[in-house]
């Protein structure tokens, strides 16, 4: 549905040059919700504005629904943009127009009659849950209601693509959740392709099918949300994820030095990741029953990513060296992720 090929964007101001986007390739399939996450200044807003050519790339190709937007004239782009809706962080509503008139505005510009506009606007207000607010003005609405107006207005031209530029950044957590649920509902009902940029990993976790991580104008990591959350490759991605999923070792290990090899009278510390059905299996109980080892659970957490259970455990395994090795081999044979933190002598850490 959307294909970006080697997109570059360079801004020049006198002697100054800013290379905002550097050779980005990105593919968004029809009907997907695709997230782009990055810190301030990473280039994510420039990237999303290149998709609808509000920012014309310095080089590269932007293909939307089989059409190369970079090869189009300004008049051709104006027609194509009707198929690409956009919502913004600060809503951009017309303060002098009612909710109904804000949603109707793009239809008026396209020359629709009042009857045609009525026929299209009323269902949109119902879709976003604002039928009872049609005659109110933006100043009378909450932030979440304003964003719902923005969404309805963006849908008025029946777009195939919806771009969301930090659409929930100005909202409180509860309102953010309701807006994300609305976007998921719209995606499902209208089969709309959504590209969403954010600096909040919780937003990615709640709504997106795939995600790209952008840093200094470069996509440093991309893939399914489940893969990125469970197997992050870059420090930046791990930093974003840490706001939601704690990968730090518990504080009782704060000053602990781990050994890669067994020590006399030592325990083995492991971090286990459970994905899907393995999160629901009694793996630890099975290990204890089978082998002559003791197990101490130091930390545990279970969450859901795109309706898939995902859990982490930090455990200590102690016993004979042969028992520990057998237990480790058993865990490695199961459908879970294993990170060997290392061995630690019992007397070298505080009691848990």
């Amino acid at each position: 549905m959307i294909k970006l090929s080697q997109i570059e964007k360079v801004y020049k101001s006198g002697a100054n040059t800013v290379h905002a986007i550097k050779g980005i390739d990105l593919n968004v399939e029809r009907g997907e919700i695709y997230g782009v996450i990055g810190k301030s200044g990473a280039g994510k807003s420039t990237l999303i504005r290149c998709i609808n050519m509000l920012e014309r790339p310095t080089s590269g190709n932007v293909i939307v629904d089989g059409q190369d937007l970079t090869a189009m004239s300004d008049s051709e782009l104006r027609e194509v943009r009707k198929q690409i809706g956009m919502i913004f962080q600060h809503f951009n509503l017309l303060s002098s127009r009612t909710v109904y008139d804000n949603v109707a505005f793009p239809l008026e510009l396209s020359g629709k009659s009042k009857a045609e506009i009525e026929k299209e606007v009323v269902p949109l207000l119902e879709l976003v849950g604002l039928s009872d607010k049609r005659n109110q003005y933006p100043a009378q609405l909450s932030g979440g209601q304003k964003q719902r107006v923005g969404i309805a207005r963006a849908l008025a031209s029946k777009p195939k693509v919806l771009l969301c530029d930090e659409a929930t950044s100005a909202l409180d957590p509860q309102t953010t959740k309701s807006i994300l649920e609305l976007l998921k509902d719209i995606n499902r009902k209208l089969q709309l392709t959504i590209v969403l940029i954010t600096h909040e990993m919780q937003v990615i976790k709640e709504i997106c099918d795939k995600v790209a991580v952008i840093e200094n104008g470069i996509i440093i990591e991309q893939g399914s949300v489940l893969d990125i959350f469970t197997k992050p490759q870059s420090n930046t991605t791990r930093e974003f994820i840490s706001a939601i999923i704690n990968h730090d070792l518990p504080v009782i290990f704060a000053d602990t030095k781990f050994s890669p090899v067994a020590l006399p009278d030592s325990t083995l510390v492991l971090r286990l990741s459970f994905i899907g059905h393995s999160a629901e299996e009694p793996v630890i109980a099975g290990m204890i029953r089978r082998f002559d080892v003791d197990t101490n659970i130091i930390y545990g957490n279970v969450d859901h990513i795109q309706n898939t259970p995902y859990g982490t455990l930090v455990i200590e395994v102690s016993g004979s060296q042969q028992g520990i090795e057998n237990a480790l081999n058993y865990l490695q044979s199961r459908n879970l992720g294993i990170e060997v933190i290392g061995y630690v002598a019992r007397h070298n850490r505080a009691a848990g």
Side-chain angles (χ1 to χ4, degrees):
M1 185 63 181
I2 300 172
K3 183 177 181 180
L4 308 183
S5 300
Q6 287 296 295
I7 295 297
E8 304 265 345
K9 181 61 182 179
V10 178
Y11 296 99
K12 293 185 178 180
S13 177
N16 297 321
T17 299
V18 176
H19 204 161
I21 298 295
K22 306 168 185 175
I24 283 182
D25 294 316
L26 199 67
N27 288 292
V28 181
E29 300 296 331
R30 189 179 303 275
E32 276 187 339
I33 303 179
Y34 201 110
V36 178
I37 189 167
K39 298 178 182 179
S40 295
K44 56 187 185 295
S45 290
T46 301
L47 178 62
I48 200 170
R49 289 169 66 85
C50 283
I51 294 176
N52 62 1
M53 300 292 286
L54 289 177
E55 295 281 359
R56 187 176 283 272
T58 305
S59 62
N61 298 97
V62 177
I63 298 174
V64 178
D65 199 24
Q67 301 180 85
D68 188 349
L69 273 57
T70 50
M72 292 183 176
S73 66
D74 289 344
S75 60
E76 289 171 328
L77 279 175
R78 281 193 290 273
E79 286 301 310
V80 170
R81 285 198 188 106
K82 294 177 183 178
Q83 299 301 305
I84 306 174
M86 192 166 187
I87 57 175
F88 305 88
Q89 177 181 358
H90 297 297
F91 322 127
N92 292 359
L93 302 182
L94 299 168
S95 60
S96 61
R97 296 175 69 101
T98 64
V99 167
Y100 179 96
D101 290 336
N102 264 281
V103 178
F105 187 60
L107 299 174
E108 292 173 11
L109 293 179
S110 65
K112 298 270 187 177
S113 69
K114 286 186 176 182
E116 290 173 319
I117 290 172
E118 175 85 13
K119 186 177 179 180
E120 295 187 25
V121 171
V122 170
L124 286 173
L125 293 178
E126 183 177 349
L127 178 65
V128 302
L130 291 178
S131 295
D132 60 333
K133 306 291 184 184
R134 61 176 286 165
N135 295 320
Q136 294 190 6
Y137 290 87
Q140 299 172 287
L141 304 178
S142 68
Q145 290 168 339
K146 290 176 184 177
Q147 193 57 283
R148 288 171 182 267
V149 178
I151 292 170
R153 182 183 58 188
L155 297 177
S157 59
K158 295 184 172 63
K160 298 176 181 178
V161 174
L162 180 64
L163 306 180
C164 306
D165 188 357
E166 295 278 12
T168 60
S169 294
L171 306 176
D172 62 75
Q174 185 175 354
T175 305
T176 292
K177 187 173 180 64
S178 72
I179 293 298
L180 294 179
E181 288 173 351
L182 174 61
L183 290 174
K184 287 175 70 173
D185 186 51
I186 289 169
N187 167 256
R188 184 178 65 253
K189 288 179 177 177
L190 305 182
Q191 292 298 297
L192 196 63
T193 303
I194 298 176
V195 180
L196 179 151
I197 69 166
T198 183
H199 62 273
E200 300 172 287
M201 207 63 174
Q202 183 66 36
V203 171
I204 299 294
K205 174 176 173 288
E206 288 284 339
I207 192 174
C208 295
D209 302 306
K210 293 180 183 176
V211 59
V213 184
I214 187 170
E215 184 175 47
N216 296 324
I218 299 170
I219 298 292
I220 58 173
E221 198 165 348
Q222 59 182 302
S224 75
V225 169
L226 184 61
D227 284 345
I228 295 298
F229 266 82
T230 57
K231 302 170 187 175
Q233 301 299 309
S234 70
N235 290 333
T236 297
T237 306
R238 282 189 284 269
E239 184 180 339
F240 277 123
I241 292 171
S242 68
I244 302 173
I245 300 175
N246 183 12
H247 284 290
D248 294 334
L249 286 175
V251 293
I252 61 171
F253 292 121
D255 298 319
T256 302
K257 293 184 178 180
F258 294 95
S259 170
V261 297
L263 302 169
D265 192 28
S266 64
T267 66
L268 177 61
V269 180
L270 303 170
R271 191 198 322 265
L272 308 179
S273 300
F274 303 81
I275 304 172
H277 294 301
S278 67
E280 302 166 354
E281 295 178 3
V283 175
I284 302 302
M287 180 186 72
I288 294 171
R289 285 198 304 269
R290 286 173 171 80
F291 308 104
D292 183 22
V293 294
D294 293 322
T295 302
N296 182 26
I297 296 177
I298 305 297
Y299 169 83
N301 181 63
V302 176
D303 205 336
H304 285 77
I305 302 170
Q306 290 293 303
N307 298 318
T308 300
Y310 172 65
T312 56
L313 282 178
V314 177
I315 65 172
E316 284 183 306
V317 182
S318 60
S320 69
Q321 187 56 37
Q322 187 59 55
I324 292 176
E325 290 178 5
N326 289 340
L328 181 58
N329 289 334
Y330 168 77
L331 291 174
Q332 289 172 337
S333 71
R334 312 302 295 177
N335 184 27
L336 46 82
I338 300 176
E339 179 185 355
V340 178
I341 306 298
Y343 290 87
V344 58
R346 294 175 193 268
H347 63 276
N348 278 355
R349 75 161 185 85

